[in-house]
Amino acid sequence: MLHSIIGAITGENDRKKIRGTAVLMKKNVLDFNDLSASVLDRVHGLVGQGVSLQLVSAVHADPSNGLQGKVGKPAFLEDWITTITPLTAGESAFKVTFDYDEEVGEPGAFLIRNNHHSEFYLRTLTLEDVPGHGRIHFVCNSWVYPADKYDTDRVFFANRTCLPSETPGPLRRYRERELVNLRGDGTGELKEWDRVYDYAYYNDLGNPERDPKYARPVLGGSVEYPYPRRGRTSRPPSETDPNTEGRLPLLMSLNIYVPRDERFGHITMSDFLAYALKALVQFLLPEFEALCTVLPMNSTASKMYLTKLRRTFLLRCSRNLFVVMGKDSSSSRRPKSSKDKSAWRTDKEFAREMLAGLNPVLIRLLQEFPPESKLDPEVYGNQNSSITKEHIENHLDGLTINKALEKKRLFILDHHDTLMPYLRRINTTSTKTYASRTVLFLKDDGTLKPLAIELSLPHPDGDKFGAVSKVYTPAEHGVEGSIWQLAKAYAAVNDSGHHQLLSHWLNTHAVIEPFVIATNRQLSVLHPINKLLDPHFRDTMNINALARQILINAGGVVESTVYPSKYAMEMSSVVYKNWVFTEQALPADLINNDYPYAVDGLEIWSAIETWVEDYCSFYYKTDEMVEKDSELQSWWKELREEGHGDKKDEPWWPKMHTVKELIDTCTIIIWVASALHAAVNFGQYPYAGFLPNRPTISCRFMPEEGTPEYEELKSNAEKAFLKTITAQLQTLLGISLIEILSRHFSDEVYLGQRDTPEWTQDATPLKAFEKFGRKLADIEENIIKRNGDERFKNRVGPVNMPYTLLYPTSEGGLTGKGIPNSVSI
C-alpha cells in the first residue's frame, strides 16, 4: 500500500511496469522461526533497507559495463514487514514491481542484493506481461545471504537452456563470472555462506590428536591409496600430523562445510534429526536395561528407574520425534526378514538374497573350476580355491562339472581376493573371520542352491605360503548342520562388509561426489547437462560430509560395526584401483528371467537411457557440437584429471567426442546416483535389521572338534551361533544406523519427478520427461505383476518378502522401496 501511495504522488504509477512475484523462505531453524533474525529484518525494513532486484538485459549490452547486459533500476520486494513468516518453515510470496526500460528489453537474468540481517532461500521469480515477451520465469533454488557476505551481487538466470556458444552476448560474462565464483581460488577458510566447490583428498578420517591409534592414511593422491576426491572443507591441519585435516567436535558435526545450497533443506534436516534421535533412543534404552541388571538395586527399583528414564528422555525430545513415530507406523515393525524365525536359515533364502537382496551386484557366472585367484602368487602364494570335484559333482542334478560350466549353471559369490590381503591384520582386532568363496548351482526352477563354502585364512608362516582353507558343504542336522549354518554366517559377514564399504559407500556415495563438484564448477546453470544432472546430486555432498564426520571416520560407527574395523576405508581404497567407470553400466548379459535385481534394473536402465537420449539429442544435433562445447569439455577434463585424478590415465574413459558418448556417460551417472544406490541402500533395514540374517562381524573362528566351543555347538547351537556373530552393543548400534539409512525423507523427490515443474522452458524436453515418468509407472506395474507370478521363485522366497527395492516411487519413511533421484542418505 505504501508503494502505491508514493507512486501516486511521484507519478511513478503512470510508467509502464513489469510486475513480478518472488517466492522465498525466510531463515528457519528446523521447524521454528529464528525470531531474532525476523525482528532485525523488520528493523532494517523500517529504515529503508530491504531486498533489491535489478533486471539484466539479454539483448542489449552496456558499453560502460564491459558490454555486459544493460542493468535496470533497482526494485524492492514489497511488504516484507507486513508479510508474516509462517509459524512453521514455509514459503512466502512477495510482490516486486520493476520500471520497464526499453534499453533493457527482454530480461535474461537479474541481480539480487539482500540488505537484511539474515539469509533467505529464494525459490523462484516470475515476471508477468513483459512487453513483447509475456511471462518469464526464473528458477533460483538458492540461499541468498546479506550483501556484505559477497564480493558481487548474486545473479540468477531465466530458465532458458543454452550451450555456451548460444548464450546471448550480454549474458556471456555473467555466465562466466558465476562459474568463477563457484570455483573459488582454492585458498582460505570457507564460511557457511560460501558457495565454493573445490576438491580435497580424504585426509579428514583420522584423528591422531585424540590418540595415535586413530591415525589413518590419506586416501587419494597416491599410487598406494587412490580414491575419488571429496569436497574441500578448508579446516586447518591437525597439530600432530600436518597431512591430516583437523576434525570438528562430534557435537559440531552438522556445521561441517559444504556449499550452502548443497546442505539439507529444512524438511530433510528436520526428518534427519528426528530419525537420528529416535534411533538413539532405541539404541540407548536396551543398554540402560543391561546396565540395570548389574546395578545394586532390586528388580522393582530397576523397573521404576527405567520408566522414569524413558519418560524424562522422551519428554526432552523435539516434537519432530513424535511426528515421525506417529506418522510412520513402519518404525514399530520388525524387519521383514525376522518374521519367520526359520526361513532365513534355509539354503534357498541364503542363495536368493544374492539375486534379490541387499547386495545383488556381486554374484557372477563361474568361468573355471576350481575358482582361480588373481592375487600375485609372488606375494601371496597359491590362493586358488581348494573346492574339488568331489565336493560338488554329486549335487549337479546329473551334470558333470564341465557340462554345468558349459550350460552356465555354476555361479560364485567370491570375497576371497578382496579380503585376503587384509585378513591377517583384520584378525588382530576383535574380529575373527575368513575370506570366503561360495559356489552355487542354478536349478531348473530358476533358484540357486549353495554347493560349497570355502573359508580361508592366511598361512601362519607368511603370505607367500598361500592360504589355509577348509571347505564346508550343506548339512541339515546335528553338529554338521550347525557348522553349515556358521559357514553361511561367515560368508554373510564377508558380504555385509563388501556391501557397506564397496557396493554402497565406494560405488555410489564416493564415486558420485566428484561429478557433483565438477558439474557445479564447470557447467553453468544454463547448460543442458547441468539441468539434466542437477536433480541427481541433491544432498549428496551433505550426507557424505556427515559420513566422514561420524560414520566412516577413525573409531566411527562403520569401524565399530563392520568386520574390516580400522582397515575399512583403506581396504576400499585398494578396491578402487579396479574401479572402471564404464563398467558401472548395467550389462544385458546379467540375465536369467528370475534374477529380480537384473530384470527390474534393466527396465529402469533402459528407461533412463531413452530419456537421456531424447534429452541430449534435442540440444546436440551433431558430434561436432559435443566436441566444440567448451563447458562440457572442461567438465569432462576436470572430472577425469581432478575429481577422479588417480584414474586419469585409464584408457577406458570416454573421450567425450560424440553424442553417444555423452548419452552413455549421463546414463551411467544417473543410474549410479538413483537406481543403483536405491538397490543397495533402502533394503538395509528390511534385510539386515535382523542381524542373524546379515551379520556384520564374527567374533570367533569356526569351532574345531575337541574344543569347548565345539562341545557348546553340539549342546546349544543357538547360543554358539549368537556368540559367534555380532555382539549386543554392536548389533544395536548397527541396527540404529541402518534404520536411519533405510528411511525416505518426507520431501524426497523420486526418479521421474522434479521439485520444480518449470525447470526448463523447452517444450520437447518437458514432453520427453513426461514420457519418462509414464514409462517408470509402467515399470512399477510390471514389477508388481512379476512379484505376484509364482513362476518366479526368487521374487518372494521363503521369507515371503517381495523384491520391491526398484519400485520407482514410495511414501516417506521405512518402506523398502522407491528410487530417489540422488544419493541423499
mmCIF file of all heavy atoms in Angstrom, residues 766-800:
data_model
loop_
_atom_site.group_PDB
_atom_site.id
_atom_site.type_symbol
_atom_site.label_atom_id
_atom_site.label_comp_id
_atom_site.label_asym_id
_atom_site.label_seq_id
_atom_site.Cartn_x
_atom_site.Cartn_y
_atom_site.Cartn_z
ATOM 1 N N LEU A 766 10.523 -31.243 -21.977
ATOM 2 C CA LEU A 766 9.455 -31.429 -20.992
ATOM 3 C C LEU A 766 8.553 -32.596 -21.374
ATOM 4 O O LEU A 766 8.171 -33.407 -20.515
ATOM 5 C CB LEU A 766 8.636 -30.145 -20.860
ATOM 6 C CG LEU A 766 9.310 -28.974 -20.116
ATOM 7 C CD1 LEU A 766 8.444 -27.719 -20.215
ATOM 8 C CD2 LEU A 766 9.567 -29.334 -18.667
ATOM 9 N N LYS A 767 8.240 -32.723 -22.655
ATOM 10 C CA LYS A 767 7.410 -33.848 -23.109
ATOM 11 C C LYS A 767 8.162 -35.160 -22.962
ATOM 12 O O LYS A 767 7.580 -36.191 -22.578
ATOM 13 C CB LYS A 767 6.984 -33.630 -24.560
ATOM 14 C CG LYS A 767 5.953 -32.526 -24.736
ATOM 15 C CD LYS A 767 5.560 -32.342 -26.210
ATOM 16 C CE LYS A 767 4.554 -31.227 -26.362
ATOM 17 N NZ LYS A 767 4.194 -30.991 -27.806
ATOM 18 N N ALA A 768 9.465 -35.156 -23.264
ATOM 19 C CA ALA A 768 10.270 -36.372 -23.105
ATOM 20 C C ALA A 768 10.326 -36.793 -21.640
ATOM 21 O O ALA A 768 10.313 -37.994 -21.325
ATOM 22 C CB ALA A 768 11.684 -36.140 -23.642
ATOM 23 N N PHE A 769 10.380 -35.820 -20.739
ATOM 24 C CA PHE A 769 10.419 -36.129 -19.308
ATOM 25 C C PHE A 769 9.087 -36.713 -18.844
ATOM 26 O O PHE A 769 9.047 -37.638 -18.019
ATOM 27 C CB PHE A 769 10.773 -34.881 -18.510
ATOM 28 C CG PHE A 769 11.050 -35.152 -17.062
ATOM 29 C CD1 PHE A 769 12.169 -35.879 -16.675
ATOM 30 C CD2 PHE A 769 10.190 -34.699 -16.078
ATOM 31 C CE1 PHE A 769 12.431 -36.141 -15.338
ATOM 32 C CE2 PHE A 769 10.439 -34.951 -14.742
ATOM 33 C CZ PHE A 769 11.567 -35.678 -14.370
ATOM 34 N N GLU A 770 7.999 -36.195 -19.354
ATOM 35 C CA GLU A 770 6.687 -36.765 -19.042
ATOM 36 C C GLU A 770 6.609 -38.212 -19.519
ATOM 37 O O GLU A 770 6.067 -39.086 -18.823
ATOM 38 C CB GLU A 770 5.581 -35.927 -19.686
ATOM 39 C CG GLU A 770 5.400 -34.558 -19.061
ATOM 40 C CD GLU A 770 4.361 -33.735 -19.800
ATOM 41 O OE1 GLU A 770 3.722 -34.267 -20.740
ATOM 42 O OE2 GLU A 770 4.177 -32.546 -19.447
ATOM 43 N N LYS A 771 7.144 -38.468 -20.708
ATOM 44 C CA LYS A 771 7.170 -39.840 -21.234
ATOM 45 C C LYS A 771 7.999 -40.748 -20.322
ATOM 46 O O LYS A 771 7.618 -41.899 -20.053
ATOM 47 C CB LYS A 771 7.749 -39.844 -22.653
ATOM 48 C CG LYS A 771 7.717 -41.208 -23.326
ATOM 49 C CD LYS A 771 8.275 -41.149 -24.742
ATOM 50 C CE LYS A 771 9.788 -41.086 -24.743
ATOM 51 N NZ LYS A 771 10.366 -41.261 -26.101
ATOM 52 N N PHE A 772 9.120 -40.241 -19.834
ATOM 53 C CA PHE A 772 9.969 -40.978 -18.896
ATOM 54 C C PHE A 772 9.185 -41.336 -17.639
ATOM 55 O O PHE A 772 9.230 -42.480 -17.153
ATOM 56 C CB PHE A 772 11.182 -40.111 -18.561
ATOM 57 C CG PHE A 772 12.135 -40.692 -17.558
ATOM 58 C CD1 PHE A 772 12.563 -42.014 -17.638
ATOM 59 C CD2 PHE A 772 12.635 -39.892 -16.536
ATOM 60 C CE1 PHE A 772 13.459 -42.526 -16.709
ATOM 61 C CE2 PHE A 772 13.534 -40.390 -15.611
ATOM 62 C CZ PHE A 772 13.943 -41.718 -15.693
ATOM 63 N N GLY A 773 8.431 -40.387 -17.099
ATOM 64 C CA GLY A 773 7.628 -40.655 -15.911
ATOM 65 C C GLY A 773 6.577 -41.720 -16.152
ATOM 66 O O GLY A 773 6.350 -42.593 -15.298
ATOM 67 N N ARG A 774 5.930 -41.674 -17.324
ATOM 68 C CA ARG A 774 4.914 -42.697 -17.644
ATOM 69 C C ARG A 774 5.564 -44.073 -17.773
ATOM 70 O O ARG A 774 4.984 -45.083 -17.341
ATOM 71 C CB ARG A 774 4.180 -42.318 -18.934
ATOM 72 C CG ARG A 774 3.282 -41.094 -18.801
ATOM 73 C CD ARG A 774 2.335 -40.984 -19.996
ATOM 74 N NE ARG A 774 3.062 -40.825 -21.254
ATOM 75 C CZ ARG A 774 3.422 -39.657 -21.772
ATOM 76 N NH1 ARG A 774 3.127 -38.526 -21.134
ATOM 77 N NH2 ARG A 774 4.053 -39.591 -22.935
ATOM 78 N N LYS A 775 6.747 -44.111 -18.374
ATOM 79 C CA LYS A 775 7.444 -45.392 -18.526
ATOM 80 C C LYS A 775 7.794 -45.984 -17.168
ATOM 81 O O LYS A 775 7.650 -47.198 -16.943
ATOM 82 C CB LYS A 775 8.713 -45.193 -19.359
ATOM 83 C CG LYS A 775 9.519 -46.470 -19.588
ATOM 84 C CD LYS A 775 8.726 -47.516 -20.342
ATOM 85 C CE LYS A 775 9.534 -48.759 -20.611
ATOM 86 N NZ LYS A 775 8.739 -49.812 -21.288
ATOM 87 N N LEU A 776 8.232 -45.149 -16.233
ATOM 88 C CA LEU A 776 8.558 -45.644 -14.895
ATOM 89 C C LEU A 776 7.314 -46.164 -14.184
ATOM 90 O O LEU A 776 7.381 -47.163 -13.454
ATOM 91 C CB LEU A 776 9.208 -44.528 -14.072
ATOM 92 C CG LEU A 776 10.615 -44.108 -14.522
ATOM 93 C CD1 LEU A 776 11.072 -42.870 -13.761
ATOM 94 C CD2 LEU A 776 11.608 -45.250 -14.312
ATOM 95 N N ALA A 777 6.172 -45.511 -14.400
ATOM 96 C CA ALA A 777 4.919 -46.007 -13.810
ATOM 97 C C ALA A 777 4.577 -47.380 -14.376
ATOM 98 O O ALA A 777 4.126 -48.280 -13.641
ATOM 99 C CB ALA A 777 3.791 -45.015 -14.065
ATOM 100 N N ASP A 778 4.795 -47.571 -15.680
ATOM 101 C CA ASP A 778 4.555 -48.885 -16.293
ATOM 102 C C ASP A 778 5.503 -49.934 -15.708
ATOM 103 O O ASP A 778 5.098 -51.085 -15.464
ATOM 104 C CB ASP A 778 4.761 -48.805 -17.809
ATOM 105 C CG ASP A 778 3.699 -47.972 -18.501
ATOM 106 O OD1 ASP A 778 2.634 -47.743 -17.900
ATOM 107 O OD2 ASP A 778 3.949 -47.535 -19.649
ATOM 108 N N ILE A 779 6.759 -49.542 -15.495
ATOM 109 C CA ILE A 779 7.734 -50.490 -14.933
ATOM 110 C C ILE A 779 7.312 -50.923 -13.538
ATOM 111 O O ILE A 779 7.431 -52.102 -13.176
ATOM 112 C CB ILE A 779 9.137 -49.846 -14.919
ATOM 113 C CG1 ILE A 779 9.650 -49.698 -16.347
ATOM 114 C CG2 ILE A 779 10.105 -50.667 -14.077
ATOM 115 C CD1 ILE A 779 10.936 -48.887 -16.452
ATOM 116 N N GLU A 780 6.818 -49.980 -12.740
ATOM 117 C CA GLU A 780 6.363 -50.347 -11.390
ATOM 118 C C GLU A 780 5.232 -51.365 -11.459
ATOM 119 O O GLU A 780 5.199 -52.326 -10.689
ATOM 120 C CB GLU A 780 5.919 -49.091 -10.638
ATOM 121 C CG GLU A 780 5.601 -49.366 -9.182
ATOM 122 C CD GLU A 780 5.618 -48.109 -8.338
ATOM 123 O OE1 GLU A 780 6.538 -47.279 -8.487
ATOM 124 O OE2 GLU A 780 4.711 -47.971 -7.500
ATOM 125 N N GLU A 781 4.308 -51.179 -12.395
ATOM 126 C CA GLU A 781 3.233 -52.162 -12.571
ATOM 127 C C GLU A 781 3.796 -53.519 -12.989
ATOM 128 O O GLU A 781 3.336 -54.568 -12.514
ATOM 129 C CB GLU A 781 2.234 -51.655 -13.621
ATOM 130 C CG GLU A 781 1.379 -50.489 -13.148
ATOM 131 C CD GLU A 781 0.502 -50.870 -11.966
ATOM 132 O OE1 GLU A 781 -0.068 -51.976 -11.977
ATOM 133 O OE2 GLU A 781 0.403 -50.060 -11.028
ATOM 134 N N ASN A 782 4.799 -53.508 -13.855
ATOM 135 C CA ASN A 782 5.422 -54.765 -14.276
ATOM 136 C C ASN A 782 6.069 -55.490 -13.095
ATOM 137 O O ASN A 782 5.994 -56.714 -12.987
ATOM 138 C CB ASN A 782 6.489 -54.499 -15.347
ATOM 139 C CG ASN A 782 5.904 -53.993 -16.645
ATOM 140 O OD1 ASN A 782 4.714 -54.141 -16.900
ATOM 141 N ND2 ASN A 782 6.733 -53.380 -17.477
ATOM 142 N N ILE A 783 6.744 -54.724 -12.221
ATOM 143 C CA ILE A 783 7.387 -55.342 -11.057
ATOM 144 C C ILE A 783 6.343 -55.963 -10.146
ATOM 145 O O ILE A 783 6.520 -57.086 -9.638
ATOM 146 C CB ILE A 783 8.230 -54.293 -10.301
ATOM 147 C CG1 ILE A 783 9.396 -53.811 -11.164
ATOM 148 C CG2 ILE A 783 8.760 -54.875 -8.990
ATOM 149 C CD1 ILE A 783 10.171 -52.652 -10.562
ATOM 150 N N ILE A 784 5.256 -55.247 -9.925
ATOM 151 C CA ILE A 784 4.178 -55.782 -9.078
ATOM 152 C C ILE A 784 3.651 -57.089 -9.658
ATOM 153 O O ILE A 784 3.430 -58.071 -8.932
ATOM 154 C CB ILE A 784 3.055 -54.739 -8.931
ATOM 155 C CG1 ILE A 784 3.554 -53.533 -8.127
ATOM 156 C CG2 ILE A 784 1.831 -55.362 -8.266
ATOM 157 C CD1 ILE A 784 2.603 -52.360 -8.122
ATOM 158 N N LYS A 785 3.461 -57.135 -10.980
ATOM 159 C CA LYS A 785 2.966 -58.362 -11.618
ATOM 160 C C LYS A 785 3.976 -59.496 -11.477
ATOM 161 O O LYS A 785 3.595 -60.639 -11.183
ATOM 162 C CB LYS A 785 2.678 -58.099 -13.099
ATOM 163 C CG LYS A 785 1.467 -57.212 -13.338
ATOM 164 C CD LYS A 785 1.277 -56.930 -14.826
ATOM 165 C CE LYS A 785 0.106 -55.986 -15.062
ATOM 166 N NZ LYS A 785 -0.048 -55.648 -16.510
ATOM 167 N N ARG A 786 5.253 -59.208 -11.688
ATOM 168 C CA ARG A 786 6.267 -60.266 -11.560
ATOM 169 C C ARG A 786 6.338 -60.787 -10.129
ATOM 170 O O ARG A 786 6.517 -61.986 -9.903
ATOM 171 C CB ARG A 786 7.630 -59.752 -12.014
ATOM 172 C CG ARG A 786 7.770 -59.609 -13.516
ATOM 173 C CD ARG A 786 9.211 -59.419 -13.942
ATOM 174 N NE ARG A 786 9.756 -58.133 -13.549
ATOM 175 C CZ ARG A 786 9.724 -57.041 -14.308
ATOM 176 N NH1 ARG A 786 9.146 -57.074 -15.511
ATOM 177 N NH2 ARG A 786 10.261 -55.905 -13.891
ATOM 178 N N ASN A 787 6.199 -59.888 -9.159
ATOM 179 C CA ASN A 787 6.241 -60.333 -7.767
ATOM 180 C C ASN A 787 5.068 -61.244 -7.420
ATOM 181 O O ASN A 787 5.159 -62.051 -6.492
ATOM 182 C CB ASN A 787 6.250 -59.127 -6.815
ATOM 183 C CG ASN A 787 7.606 -58.458 -6.739
ATOM 184 O OD1 ASN A 787 8.608 -59.017 -7.164
ATOM 185 N ND2 ASN A 787 7.644 -57.254 -6.198
ATOM 186 N N GLY A 788 3.969 -61.108 -8.148
ATOM 187 C CA GLY A 788 2.811 -61.967 -7.903
ATOM 188 C C GLY A 788 2.773 -63.213 -8.769
ATOM 189 O O GLY A 788 1.842 -64.020 -8.649
ATOM 190 N N ASP A 789 3.785 -63.399 -9.617
ATOM 191 C CA ASP A 789 3.828 -64.546 -10.527
ATOM 192 C C ASP A 789 4.601 -65.681 -9.870
ATOM 193 O O ASP A 789 5.807 -65.590 -9.649
ATOM 194 C CB ASP A 789 4.498 -64.131 -11.842
ATOM 195 C CG ASP A 789 4.334 -65.173 -12.937
ATOM 196 O OD1 ASP A 789 4.240 -66.381 -12.615
ATOM 197 O OD2 ASP A 789 4.336 -64.787 -14.131
ATOM 198 N N GLU A 790 3.908 -66.760 -9.571
ATOM 199 C CA GLU A 790 4.523 -67.874 -8.836
ATOM 200 C C GLU A 790 5.598 -68.591 -9.639
ATOM 201 O O GLU A 790 6.358 -69.384 -9.085
ATOM 202 C CB GLU A 790 3.446 -68.856 -8.396
ATOM 203 C CG GLU A 790 2.494 -68.269 -7.360
ATOM 204 C CD GLU A 790 1.486 -69.284 -6.864
ATOM 205 O OE1 GLU A 790 1.507 -70.442 -7.378
ATOM 206 O OE2 GLU A 790 0.673 -68.939 -5.987
ATOM 207 N N ARG A 791 5.703 -68.330 -10.931
ATOM 208 C CA ARG A 791 6.769 -68.953 -11.718
ATOM 209 C C ARG A 791 8.139 -68.423 -11.307
ATOM 210 O O ARG A 791 9.150 -69.109 -11.476
ATOM 211 C CB ARG A 791 6.552 -68.685 -13.207
ATOM 212 C CG ARG A 791 5.320 -69.356 -13.817
ATOM 213 C CD ARG A 791 5.171 -68.939 -15.262
ATOM 214 N NE ARG A 791 4.982 -67.485 -15.379
ATOM 215 C CZ ARG A 791 5.063 -66.805 -16.520
ATOM 216 N NH1 ARG A 791 5.363 -67.452 -17.645
ATOM 217 N NH2 ARG A 791 4.869 -65.492 -16.541
ATOM 218 N N PHE A 792 8.162 -67.202 -10.795
ATOM 219 C CA PHE A 792 9.436 -66.567 -10.441
ATOM 220 C C PHE A 792 9.709 -66.805 -8.962
ATOM 221 O O PHE A 792 9.269 -66.053 -8.093
ATOM 222 C CB PHE A 792 9.398 -65.074 -10.783
ATOM 223 C CG PHE A 792 9.117 -64.804 -12.242
ATOM 224 C CD1 PHE A 792 8.171 -63.870 -12.610
ATOM 225 C CD2 PHE A 792 9.800 -65.483 -13.240
ATOM 226 C CE1 PHE A 792 7.912 -63.604 -13.950
ATOM 227 C CE2 PHE A 792 9.559 -65.238 -14.583
ATOM 228 C CZ PHE A 792 8.605 -64.299 -14.940
ATOM 229 N N LYS A 793 10.450 -67.845 -8.675
ATOM 230 C CA LYS A 793 10.651 -68.302 -7.302
ATOM 231 C C LYS A 793 11.517 -67.346 -6.484
ATOM 232 O O LYS A 793 11.448 -67.347 -5.254
ATOM 233 C CB LYS A 793 11.302 -69.688 -7.298
ATOM 234 C CG LYS A 793 10.587 -70.736 -8.131
ATOM 235 C CD LYS A 793 9.211 -71.030 -7.597
ATOM 236 C CE LYS A 793 8.544 -72.150 -8.392
ATOM 237 N NZ LYS A 793 7.144 -72.381 -7.956
ATOM 238 N N ASN A 794 12.352 -66.555 -7.153
ATOM 239 C CA ASN A 794 13.290 -65.701 -6.412
ATOM 240 C C ASN A 794 12.716 -64.349 -6.035
ATOM 241 O O ASN A 794 13.377 -63.583 -5.333
ATOM 242 C CB ASN A 794 14.563 -65.482 -7.247
ATOM 243 C CG ASN A 794 15.341 -66.757 -7.445
ATOM 244 O OD1 ASN A 794 15.514 -67.537 -6.523
ATOM 245 N ND2 ASN A 794 15.812 -66.980 -8.670
ATOM 246 N N ARG A 795 11.511 -64.064 -6.462
ATOM 247 C CA ARG A 795 10.974 -62.722 -6.235
ATOM 248 C C ARG A 795 10.403 -62.560 -4.826
ATOM 249 O O ARG A 795 10.325 -61.444 -4.319
ATOM 250 C CB ARG A 795 9.916 -62.381 -7.272
ATOM 251 C CG ARG A 795 10.465 -62.367 -8.698
ATOM 252 C CD ARG A 795 9.676 -61.450 -9.580
ATOM 253 N NE ARG A 795 9.881 -60.057 -9.237
ATOM 254 C CZ ARG A 795 10.780 -59.266 -9.815
ATOM 255 N NH1 ARG A 795 11.581 -59.731 -10.768
ATOM 256 N NH2 ARG A 795 10.880 -58.015 -9.441
ATOM 257 N N VAL A 796 10.020 -63.647 -4.196
ATOM 258 C CA VAL A 796 9.431 -63.573 -2.851
ATOM 259 C C VAL A 796 10.231 -64.414 -1.863
ATOM 260 O O VAL A 796 10.691 -63.930 -0.842
ATOM 261 C CB VAL A 796 7.954 -64.000 -2.864
ATOM 262 C CG1 VAL A 796 7.376 -64.002 -1.460
ATOM 263 C CG2 VAL A 796 7.145 -63.063 -3.768
ATOM 264 N N GLY A 797 10.421 -65.703 -2.177
ATOM 265 C CA GLY A 797 11.289 -66.544 -1.385
ATOM 266 C C GLY A 797 10.678 -67.033 -0.084
ATOM 267 O O GLY A 797 9.544 -66.688 0.279
ATOM 268 N N PRO A 798 11.443 -67.837 0.663
ATOM 269 C CA PRO A 798 10.946 -68.430 1.909
ATOM 270 C C PRO A 798 10.521 -67.404 2.953
ATOM 271 O O PRO A 798 9.642 -67.679 3.774
ATOM 272 C CB PRO A 798 12.136 -69.255 2.406
ATOM 273 C CG PRO A 798 12.910 -69.585 1.170
ATOM 274 C CD PRO A 798 12.759 -68.387 0.287
ATOM 275 N N VAL A 799 11.135 -66.220 2.962
ATOM 276 C CA VAL A 799 10.768 -65.218 3.968
ATOM 277 C C VAL A 799 9.517 -64.433 3.575
ATOM 278 O O VAL A 799 9.092 -63.528 4.298
ATOM 279 C CB VAL A 799 11.918 -64.226 4.238
ATOM 280 C CG1 VAL A 799 13.097 -64.914 4.862
ATOM 281 C CG2 VAL A 799 12.322 -63.494 2.970
ATOM 282 N N ASN A 800 8.941 -64.771 2.419
ATOM 283 C CA ASN A 800 7.728 -64.104 1.943
ATOM 284 C C ASN A 800 7.921 -62.588 1.878
ATOM 285 O O ASN A 800 7.133 -61.797 2.393
ATOM 286 C CB ASN A 800 6.536 -64.441 2.847
ATOM 287 C CG ASN A 800 5.213 -64.061 2.203
ATOM 288 O OD1 ASN A 800 5.091 -64.044 0.982
ATOM 289 N ND2 ASN A 800 4.223 -63.746 3.026
#
